[in-house]
Coordinates of all heavy atoms in Angstrom, one line a residue:
M1 N 0.8 -1.2 0.0 CA 0.0 0.0 0.0 C 0.9 1.2 0.0 O 1.9 1.3 0.7 CB -0.9 0.0 1.2 CG -2.2 0.7 1.0 SD -3.4 0.4 2.3 CE -2.8 1.5 3.5
K2 N 0.5 2.2 -0.8 CA 1.3 3.4 -0.9 C 0.9 4.3 0.3 O -0.3 4.5 0.6 CB 0.9 4.2 -2.2 CG 2.0 4.0 -3.2 CD 1.7 5.0 -4.4 CE 2.7 5.0 -5.4 NZ 2.4 5.8 -6.5
K3 N 1.9 4.9 0.9 CA 1.7 5.8 2.0 C 1.5 7.2 1.3 O 2.3 7.6 0.5 CB 2.9 5.8 2.9 CG 2.6 5.7 4.3 CD 3.8 5.8 5.2 CE 3.4 5.9 6.6 NZ 4.6 6.1 7.5
L4 N 0.5 7.9 1.8 CA 0.3 9.2 1.3 C 1.3 10.2 1.9 O 1.3 10.3 3.1 CB -1.1 9.6 1.5 CG -1.8 10.5 0.4 CD1 -1.9 9.6 -0.9 CD2 -3.2 10.9 0.8
Q5 N 2.0 10.9 1.1 CA 2.9 11.9 1.6 C 2.3 13.3 1.8 O 1.5 13.7 0.9 CB 4.1 12.1 0.6 CG 5.1 11.0 0.7 CD 6.0 11.1 2.0 OE1 6.3 12.2 2.4 NE2 6.3 10.0 2.5
P6 N 2.6 14.0 2.8 CA 2.1 15.4 2.9 C 2.7 16.2 1.8 O 3.8 16.0 1.3 CB 2.6 15.8 4.3 CG 3.5 14.8 4.8 CD 3.5 13.6 3.9
I7 N 1.9 17.2 1.4 CA 2.3 18.1 0.3 C 3.0 19.3 0.9 O 2.4 19.9 1.8 CB 1.1 18.5 -0.6 CG1 0.4 17.3 -1.1 CG2 1.6 19.4 -1.7 CD1 1.2 16.4 -2.1
R8 N 4.1 19.7 0.4 CA 4.8 20.9 0.8 C 5.2 21.8 -0.3 O 5.3 21.3 -1.5 CB 6.1 20.5 1.6 CG 5.9 19.7 2.9 CD 5.3 20.6 4.0 NE 5.1 19.9 5.2 CZ 4.0 19.3 5.6 NH1 2.9 19.5 4.8 NH2 3.8 18.7 6.7
M9 N 5.4 23.0 0.0 CA 5.7 24.0 -1.1 C 7.2 24.3 -1.2 O 7.8 24.6 -0.1 CB 4.9 25.3 -0.8 CG 4.9 26.2 -2.0 SD 3.9 27.7 -1.7 CE 4.9 28.5 -0.6
C10 N 7.7 24.4 -2.4 CA 9.1 24.8 -2.6 C 9.1 26.3 -2.5 O 8.3 27.0 -3.1 CB 9.5 24.4 -4.0 SG 11.0 25.3 -4.6
I11 N 10.0 26.8 -1.7 CA 10.0 28.3 -1.4 C 10.6 29.1 -2.6 O 10.4 30.3 -2.7 CB 10.8 28.7 -0.1 CG1 12.3 28.2 -0.3 CG2 10.2 28.2 1.1 CD1 13.2 29.2 0.4
A12 N 11.2 28.4 -3.5 CA 11.8 29.2 -4.6 C 10.8 29.4 -5.8 O 10.7 30.4 -6.3 CB 13.0 28.5 -5.2
C13 N 10.0 28.3 -6.1 CA 9.1 28.4 -7.2 C 7.6 28.3 -6.8 O 6.7 28.4 -7.6 CB 9.4 27.4 -8.3 SG 9.2 25.7 -7.7
R14 N 7.4 28.0 -5.5 CA 6.1 27.9 -5.0 C 5.2 26.8 -5.5 O 4.0 26.8 -5.4 CB 5.4 29.3 -5.1 CG 6.1 30.4 -4.5 CD 5.4 31.7 -4.6 NE 4.4 31.9 -3.6 CZ 4.6 32.3 -2.4 NH1 5.8 32.6 -2.0 NH2 3.6 32.4 -1.5
S15 N 5.9 25.8 -6.2 CA 5.1 24.7 -6.6 C 5.0 23.7 -5.5 O 5.8 23.7 -4.6 CB 5.8 24.0 -7.8 OG 7.0 23.5 -7.5
R16 N 4.0 22.9 -5.5 CA 3.7 21.9 -4.4 C 4.1 20.5 -4.8 O 3.8 20.1 -5.9 CB 2.2 22.0 -4.0 CG 2.0 23.3 -3.2 CD 0.5 23.6 -3.2 NE 0.3 25.0 -2.8 CZ 0.3 25.4 -1.6 NH1 0.6 24.6 -0.6 NH2 0.2 26.7 -1.3
H17 N 4.7 19.8 -3.9 CA 5.2 18.4 -4.2 C 5.0 17.6 -2.9 O 5.0 18.1 -1.8 CB 6.7 18.4 -4.6 CG 7.0 19.3 -5.8 ND1 6.9 18.8 -7.0 CD2 7.4 20.6 -5.8 CE1 7.2 19.8 -7.9 NE2 7.5 20.9 -7.2
P18 N 5.0 16.3 -3.1 CA 5.0 15.4 -1.9 C 6.3 15.7 -1.1 O 7.4 15.8 -1.7 CB 5.0 14.0 -2.5 CG 4.5 14.1 -3.9 CD 4.9 15.5 -4.3
Q19 N 6.2 15.7 0.2 CA 7.3 16.0 1.0 C 8.6 15.2 0.8 O 9.7 15.7 0.8 CB 6.9 15.8 2.5 CG 7.9 16.3 3.5 CD 7.4 16.2 4.9 OE1 6.6 15.3 5.2 NE2 7.8 17.1 5.8
N20 N 8.4 13.9 0.4 CA 9.6 13.1 0.3 C 10.4 13.3 -1.0 O 11.4 12.8 -1.2 CB 9.3 11.6 0.4 CG 8.3 11.1 -0.7 OD1 7.7 11.9 -1.4 ND2 8.1 9.8 -0.7
T21 N 9.8 14.2 -1.9 CA 10.6 14.5 -3.1 C 11.3 15.8 -3.0 O 12.0 16.3 -3.9 CB 9.6 14.5 -4.3 OG1 8.8 15.7 -4.2 CG2 8.8 13.3 -4.5
L22 N 11.1 16.5 -1.9 CA 11.7 17.8 -1.7 C 12.9 17.7 -0.8 O 13.1 16.8 0.0 CB 10.7 18.7 -1.0 CG 9.4 19.0 -1.9 CD1 8.4 19.7 -1.0 CD2 9.8 20.0 -3.0
I23 N 13.8 18.7 -1.0 CA 15.0 18.8 -0.1 C 14.6 19.7 1.0 O 14.1 20.8 0.8 CB 16.2 19.3 -0.9 CG1 16.7 18.2 -1.8 CG2 17.3 19.9 0.0 CD1 17.8 18.6 -2.7
R24 N 14.9 19.3 2.3 CA 14.5 20.0 3.4 C 15.7 20.7 4.0 O 16.7 20.1 4.3 CB 13.9 19.1 4.5 CG 13.1 19.9 5.5 CD 12.4 18.9 6.4 NE 11.5 19.7 7.3 CZ 10.6 19.1 8.2 NH1 10.6 17.8 8.3 NH2 9.9 19.8 8.9
L25 N 15.6 22.0 4.3 CA 16.7 22.8 4.8 C 16.2 23.5 6.1 O 15.0 23.6 6.4 CB 17.1 23.9 3.8 CG 17.7 23.3 2.5 CD1 17.9 24.5 1.5 CD2 19.1 22.7 2.8
R26 N 17.1 24.0 6.8 CA 16.8 24.7 8.1 C 17.5 26.0 8.1 O 18.7 26.1 7.7 CB 17.3 23.8 9.2 CG 17.3 24.4 10.6 CD 17.4 23.4 11.6 NE 18.7 23.1 12.0 CZ 19.3 23.8 13.0 NH1 18.7 24.8 13.6 NH2 20.5 23.5 13.4
Q27 N 16.8 27.0 8.6 CA 17.5 28.3 8.8 C 17.8 28.5 10.2 O 17.0 28.4 11.1 CB 16.5 29.4 8.3 CG 17.2 30.8 8.4 CD 16.5 31.9 7.7 OE1 15.3 31.7 7.4 NE2 17.1 33.0 7.4
D28 N 19.1 28.6 10.4 CA 19.7 28.7 11.8 C 20.2 30.1 11.9 O 21.3 30.4 11.5 CB 20.7 27.6 12.0 CG 21.4 27.8 13.4 OD1 20.7 28.4 14.3 OD2 22.5 27.3 13.6
D29 N 19.4 31.0 12.5 CA 19.9 32.4 12.5 C 20.2 32.9 11.1 O 19.3 33.1 10.3 CB 21.0 32.6 13.5 CG 21.2 34.0 14.0 OD1 20.2 34.8 13.7 OD2 22.2 34.4 14.6
K30 N 21.5 33.0 10.8 CA 21.8 33.5 9.5 C 22.3 32.5 8.5 O 22.5 32.7 7.4 CB 22.8 34.6 9.6 CG 22.3 35.9 10.3 CD 23.3 37.0 10.2 CE 22.7 38.3 10.7 NZ 23.1 38.6 12.1
E31 N 22.4 31.3 9.0 CA 23.0 30.2 8.2 C 21.9 29.2 7.8 O 21.0 28.9 8.5 CB 24.1 29.5 8.9 CG 25.1 28.9 8.0 CD 26.2 28.1 8.7 OE1 26.2 28.1 9.9 OE2 26.9 27.5 8.0
I32 N 22.1 28.7 6.5 CA 21.2 27.6 6.0 C 21.9 26.3 6.2 O 23.0 26.2 5.7 CB 20.8 27.9 4.5 CG1 20.2 29.3 4.3 CG2 19.9 26.8 4.1 CD1 18.9 29.5 5.0
L33 N 21.2 25.4 6.8 CA 21.8 24.1 7.1 C 20.9 23.0 6.6 O 19.7 23.3 6.3 CB 22.0 23.9 8.6 CG 22.8 25.0 9.3 CD1 22.6 24.9 10.8 CD2 24.3 24.8 9.0
A34 N 21.4 21.8 6.6 CA 20.5 20.6 6.3 C 19.5 20.5 7.5 O 19.9 20.8 8.7 CB 21.3 19.4 6.2
F35 N 18.3 20.2 7.3 CA 17.3 20.0 8.4 C 17.7 18.9 9.3 O 18.0 17.8 8.8 CB 15.9 19.8 7.9 CG 14.9 19.8 8.9 CD1 14.6 20.9 9.7 CD2 14.2 18.6 9.2 CE1 13.7 20.9 10.7 CE2 13.3 18.6 10.2 CZ 13.0 19.7 11.0
D36 N 17.8 19.1 10.6 CA 18.2 18.1 11.5 C 17.2 17.9 12.6 O 17.5 17.4 13.7 CB 19.6 18.4 12.1 CG 19.6 19.8 12.8 OD1 18.5 20.4 12.9 OD2 20.6 20.2 13.2
G37 N 15.9 18.2 12.3 CA 14.9 17.9 13.3 C 14.5 19.1 14.2 O 13.5 19.0 14.9
K38 N 15.2 20.2 14.2 CA 14.8 21.3 15.0 C 14.8 22.6 14.3 O 15.4 22.7 13.2 CB 15.8 21.4 16.3 CG 17.1 20.8 16.0 CD 18.0 20.9 17.2 CE 19.4 20.4 16.7 NZ 20.4 20.4 17.6
G39 N 14.2 23.6 14.8 CA 14.2 24.9 14.2 C 13.2 25.0 13.1 O 12.4 24.2 12.8
R40 N 13.4 26.2 12.4 CA 12.5 26.5 11.3 C 13.0 25.8 10.0 O 14.2 25.9 9.7 CB 12.4 28.0 11.0 CG 11.6 28.7 12.0 CD 11.6 30.2 11.7 NE 11.2 30.5 10.4 CZ 11.2 31.7 9.9 NH1 11.8 32.7 10.5 NH2 10.8 32.0 8.7
S41 N 12.1 25.1 9.3 CA 12.6 24.4 8.1 C 11.8 24.9 6.9 O 10.7 25.5 7.0 CB 12.5 22.9 8.2 OG 11.1 22.5 8.2
F42 N 12.4 24.7 5.8 CA 11.7 25.0 4.5 C 12.1 24.0 3.5 O 13.1 23.2 3.7 CB 12.0 26.4 4.1 CG 13.4 26.8 3.9 CD1 14.0 26.6 2.6 CD2 14.2 27.2 4.9 CE1 15.3 26.9 2.4 CE2 15.5 27.6 4.7 CZ 16.1 27.4 3.5
Y43 N 11.5 24.0 2.3 CA 11.7 23.0 1.3 C 12.1 23.6 -0.1 O 11.7 24.8 -0.4 CB 10.4 22.2 1.0 CG 10.0 21.4 2.3 CD1 9.2 22.0 3.2 CD2 10.5 20.1 2.5 CE1 8.8 21.3 4.3 CE2 10.1 19.4 3.6 CZ 9.2 20.0 4.5 OH 8.8 19.3 5.6
L44 N 12.9 22.9 -0.8 CA 13.2 23.2 -2.2 C 13.0 22.0 -3.0 O 13.3 20.9 -2.6 CB 14.7 23.6 -2.3 CG 15.2 24.9 -1.7 CD1 16.7 25.0 -1.9 CD2 14.5 26.0 -2.5
C45 N 12.4 22.2 -4.2 CA 12.2 21.1 -5.1 C 13.5 20.8 -5.9 O 14.4 21.6 -6.0 CB 11.0 21.4 -6.1 SG 11.3 22.6 -7.3
N46 N 13.5 19.6 -6.5 CA 14.7 19.2 -7.3 C 15.0 20.1 -8.5 O 16.1 20.4 -8.8 CB 14.5 17.8 -7.8 CG 14.8 16.8 -6.7 OD1 15.7 16.9 -6.0 ND2 13.9 15.8 -6.5
E47 N 13.9 20.6 -9.1 CA 14.1 21.5 -10.2 C 14.9 22.8 -9.8 O 15.8 23.2 -10.5 CB 12.7 21.9 -10.8 CG 12.0 20.8 -11.4 CD 12.8 20.0 -12.5 OE1 13.2 20.7 -13.4 OE2 12.9 18.8 -12.3
C48 N 14.5 23.4 -8.7 CA 15.1 24.6 -8.3 C 16.6 24.4 -7.8 O 17.4 25.2 -8.0 CB 14.3 25.2 -7.1 SG 12.8 25.9 -7.7
V49 N 16.8 23.2 -7.2 CA 18.1 22.9 -6.7 C 19.1 22.8 -7.9 O 20.3 23.2 -7.8 CB 18.1 21.6 -5.9 CG1 19.5 21.1 -5.6 CG2 17.4 21.8 -4.6
K50 N 18.6 22.4 -9.0 CA 19.4 22.2 -10.2 C 19.5 23.5 -11.1 O 20.2 23.6 -12.0 CB 18.9 21.1 -11.1 CG 19.1 19.7 -10.5 CD 18.6 18.7 -11.5 CE 18.1 17.5 -10.8 NZ 16.9 16.8 -11.4
N51 N 18.6 24.4 -10.7 CA 18.5 25.7 -11.5 C 19.5 26.7 -10.9 O 19.2 27.3 -9.9 CB 17.1 26.1 -11.4 CG 16.8 27.3 -12.3 OD1 17.7 28.2 -12.4 ND2 15.7 27.4 -13.0
E52 N 20.5 27.0 -11.7 CA 21.5 28.0 -11.2 C 21.0 29.3 -10.9 O 21.4 29.9 -9.9 CB 22.6 28.1 -12.3 CG 24.0 28.3 -11.8 CD 25.0 28.3 -12.9 OE1 25.2 27.3 -13.6 OE2 25.6 29.4 -13.1
K53 N 20.0 29.8 -11.7 CA 19.4 31.1 -11.4 C 18.7 31.1 -10.1 O 18.7 32.1 -9.3 CB 18.5 31.5 -12.6 CG 19.1 32.3 -13.7 CD 18.1 32.8 -14.6 CE 18.7 33.5 -15.8 NZ 17.7 33.8 -16.9
K54 N 17.9 30.1 -9.9 CA 17.1 30.0 -8.7 C 18.0 29.9 -7.4 O 17.8 30.5 -6.4 CB 16.2 28.7 -8.7 CG 15.0 28.9 -9.6 CD 13.8 29.3 -8.8 CE 12.6 29.8 -9.7 NZ 12.2 28.9 -10.7
V55 N 19.1 29.1 -7.6 CA 20.0 29.0 -6.5 C 20.7 30.3 -6.2 O 20.8 30.7 -5.0 CB 21.1 27.9 -6.8 CG1 22.2 27.9 -5.8 CG2 20.5 26.5 -6.8
K56 N 21.0 31.1 -7.2 CA 21.6 32.4 -7.0 C 20.7 33.3 -6.3 O 21.0 34.1 -5.5 CB 22.1 33.0 -8.3 CG 23.4 32.3 -8.8 CD 24.1 33.2 -9.8 CE 25.5 32.6 -10.0 NZ 26.0 32.5 -11.3
G57 N 19.4 33.2 -6.7 CA 18.4 34.0 -6.1 C 18.3 33.7 -4.6 O 18.1 34.6 -3.8
L58 N 18.4 32.4 -4.2 CA 18.3 32.0 -2.8 C 19.5 32.5 -2.0 O 19.4 32.9 -0.9 CB 18.1 30.5 -2.7 CG 16.8 29.9 -3.2 CD1 16.9 28.4 -3.4 CD2 15.7 30.2 -2.3
V59 N 20.6 32.4 -2.7 CA 21.9 32.9 -2.0 C 21.7 34.4 -1.6 O 22.0 34.8 -0.5 CB 23.1 32.8 -3.0 CG1 24.3 33.5 -2.5 CG2 23.4 31.3 -3.1
K60 N 21.1 35.1 -2.5 CA 20.9 36.6 -2.2 C 19.8 36.7 -1.2 O 20.0 37.5 -0.2 CB 20.4 37.3 -3.5 CG 21.6 37.8 -4.3 CD 21.1 38.8 -5.4 CE 22.2 39.3 -6.2 NZ 21.7 40.1 -7.4
R61 N 18.7 36.0 -1.3 CA 17.6 36.1 -0.4 C 18.0 35.8 1.0 O 17.5 36.5 1.9 CB 16.5 35.2 -0.9 CG 15.2 35.2 -0.1 CD 14.2 34.4 -1.0 NE 13.1 34.0 -0.2 CZ 12.1 33.2 -0.6 NH1 12.1 32.8 -1.9 NH2 11.1 32.8 0.2
F62 N 18.8 34.8 1.2 CA 19.2 34.4 2.5 C 20.6 34.9 2.9 O 21.1 34.5 3.9 CB 19.1 32.9 2.7 CG 17.7 32.3 2.6 CD1 17.3 31.6 1.5 CD2 16.9 32.5 3.7 CE1 16.0 31.1 1.5 CE2 15.6 32.0 3.7 CZ 15.2 31.3 2.6
K63 N 21.1 35.7 2.0 CA 22.5 36.3 2.3 C 23.5 35.2 2.6 O 24.2 35.3 3.6 CB 22.4 37.3 3.4 CG 21.5 38.5 3.0 CD 21.5 39.6 4.1 CE 20.7 40.8 3.7 NZ 19.3 40.6 3.7
Q64 N 23.5 34.2 1.8 CA 24.4 33.1 2.0 C 25.7 33.2 1.2 O 25.7 33.9 0.2 CB 23.8 31.7 1.7 CG 22.6 31.4 2.5 CD 23.0 31.2 4.0 OE1 23.8 30.4 4.4 NE2 22.5 32.1 4.8
E65 N 26.7 32.5 1.6 CA 27.9 32.5 0.8 C 27.6 31.4 -0.3 O 27.3 30.3 -0.1 CB 29.1 32.0 1.6 CG 30.4 32.3 1.1 CD 31.5 31.7 1.9 OE1 31.6 32.0 3.1 OE2 32.2 30.8 1.4
E66 N 27.8 31.9 -1.6 CA 27.3 31.0 -2.7 C 28.0 29.6 -2.7 O 27.4 28.6 -2.9 CB 27.6 31.7 -4.0 CG 26.9 31.0 -5.2 CD 27.0 31.7 -6.5 OE1 27.1 33.0 -6.4 OE2 26.9 31.1 -7.5
E67 N 29.3 29.6 -2.5 CA 30.1 28.4 -2.6 C 29.6 27.4 -1.5 O 29.4 26.2 -1.8 CB 31.6 28.7 -2.4 CG 32.5 27.6 -3.0 CD 33.9 28.0 -2.7 OE1 34.3 29.1 -2.9 OE2 34.7 27.1 -2.2
H68 N 29.4 27.9 -0.3 CA 28.9 27.1 0.8 C 27.5 26.5 0.5 O 27.2 25.4 0.8 CB 29.0 27.9 2.1 CG 28.2 27.3 3.2 ND1 28.8 26.4 4.0 CD2 27.0 27.5 3.7 CE1 27.9 26.0 4.9 NE2 26.8 26.7 4.8
F69 N 26.7 27.4 0.0 CA 25.3 27.0 -0.2 C 25.1 26.0 -1.3 O 24.4 25.0 -1.1 CB 24.5 28.3 -0.5 CG 23.0 28.1 -0.5 CD1 22.3 27.7 0.6 CD2 22.3 28.3 -1.7 CE1 20.9 27.5 0.6 CE2 20.9 28.1 -1.7 CZ 20.2 27.7 -0.6
T70 N 25.8 26.2 -2.4 CA 25.7 25.2 -3.5 C 26.3 23.9 -3.1 O 25.8 22.8 -3.5 CB 26.4 25.7 -4.8 OG1 27.7 26.2 -4.4 CG2 25.7 26.9 -5.4
K71 N 27.4 23.9 -2.3 CA 28.0 22.7 -1.8 C 27.0 21.9 -0.9 O 26.8 20.7 -1.1 CB 29.2 23.0 -1.0 CG 30.1 21.8 -0.8 CD 31.4 22.2 -0.1 CE 32.0 21.0 0.6 NZ 32.3 21.3 2.0
L72 N 26.3 22.6 -0.1 CA 25.3 22.0 0.8 C 24.2 21.4 -0.1 O 23.8 20.2 0.2 CB 24.7 23.1 1.7 CG 23.5 22.7 2.6 CD1 23.9 21.6 3.6 CD2 22.8 23.9 3.2
L73 N 23.7 22.1 -1.1 CA 22.6 21.5 -1.9 C 23.1 20.3 -2.6 O 22.3 19.3 -2.7 CB 22.2 22.6 -2.9 CG 21.5 23.8 -2.4 CD1 21.1 24.7 -3.5 CD2 20.2 23.4 -1.5
K74 N 24.3 20.3 -3.1 CA 24.8 19.1 -3.8 C 24.9 17.9 -2.9 O 24.6 16.8 -3.3 CB 26.2 19.4 -4.4 CG 26.2 20.0 -5.8 CD 27.5 20.0 -6.4 CE 27.4 20.8 -7.7 NZ 28.6 21.7 -7.8
E75 N 25.4 18.1 -1.7 CA 25.4 17.1 -0.7 C 24.1 16.5 -0.4 O 23.9 15.3 -0.4 CB 26.1 17.6 0.6 CG 27.6 17.7 0.6 CD 28.1 18.4 1.8 OE1 27.4 18.6 2.8 OE2 29.3 18.8 1.7
L76 N 23.1 17.3 -0.3 CA 21.7 16.9 0.0 C 21.1 16.1 -1.2 O 20.4 15.1 -1.0 CB 20.9 18.1 0.4 CG 21.2 18.7 1.7 CD1 20.4 20.0 1.9 CD2 20.9 17.7 2.9
M77 N 21.4 16.5 -2.4 CA 20.9 15.8 -3.5 C 21.5 14.4 -3.6 O 20.9 13.5 -4.0 CB 21.3 16.6 -4.8 CG 20.2 17.7 -5.1 SD 20.3 18.1 -6.9 CE 21.9 18.9 -6.9
N78 N 22.8 14.3 -3.3 CA 23.5 13.0 -3.4 C 22.9 12.1 -2.3 O 22.9 10.9 -2.5 CB 25.0 13.2 -3.2 CG 25.6 13.9 -4.4 OD1 25.0 13.9 -5.5 ND2 26.7 14.5 -4.2
N79 N 22.6 12.6 -1.2 CA 22.0 11.8 -0.1 C 20.7 11.3 -0.5 O 20.3 10.2 0.0 CB 21.9 12.6 1.2 CG 23.3 12.8 1.8 OD1 24.3 12.2 1.4 ND2 23.4 13.8 2.7
G80 N 19.9 12.1 -1.2 CA 18.5 11.7 -1.5 C 18.5 10.6 -2.5 O 17.5 9.9 -2.6
Ligands
LIG6 ZN1 11.0 24.8 -6.8

């Protein structure tokens, strides 16, 4: 039997997807980290993670260091 996944929204493109297909991140004060069960979290879809323009937009939006942020996203995609 298929388990129904909750639907979550990607913060970059605002499209909705089942939670298990999204990458979950956490905002820790000023830094974006992989979600580890605490704090405020948000989601990104696979399309946006692969989209250089979208990633750059997020870097600006969250005032992240681009190299650090893209590395984090790559790690999360490989884990998924
Ligand atoms: Zn998206």
Side-chain angles (χ1 to χ4, degrees):
M1 211 168 78
K2 256 189 178 177
K3 230 185 170 181
L4 218 62
Q5 280 289 323
I7 303 297
R8 296 287 181 264
M9 191 177 75
C10 166
I11 59 146
C13 66
R14 305 180 78 84
S15 65
R16 287 163 198 280
H17 303 275
Q19 188 176 28
N20 63 349
T21 68
L22 296 165
I23 286 176
R24 194 171 191 181
L25 296 168
R26 169 163 92 88
Q27 186 167 14
D28 178 20
D29 199 12
K30 290 190 177 97
E31 208 185 351
I32 305 296
L33 307 161
F35 183 66
D36 56 5
K38 26 182 187 181
R40 282 179 60 188
S41 70
F42 59 90
Y43 297 89
L44 284 176
C45 71
N46 282 313
E47 295 304 307
C48 290
V49 168
K50 288 184 211 145
N51 184 322
E52 214 175 295
K53 268 190 184 170
K54 286 261 165 57
V55 170
K56 282 199 168 136
L58 291 165
V59 165
K60 274 194 179 172
R61 181 166 160 187
F62 291 108
K63 299 185 175 70
Q64 297 298 295
E65 200 187 299
E66 189 172 338
E67 205 181 313
H68 166 83
F69 190 63
T70 49
K71 195 172 156 235
L72 172 68
L73 292 181
K74 271 196 191 132
E75 282 171 11
L76 290 171
M77 273 201 292
N78 293 338
N79 290 342

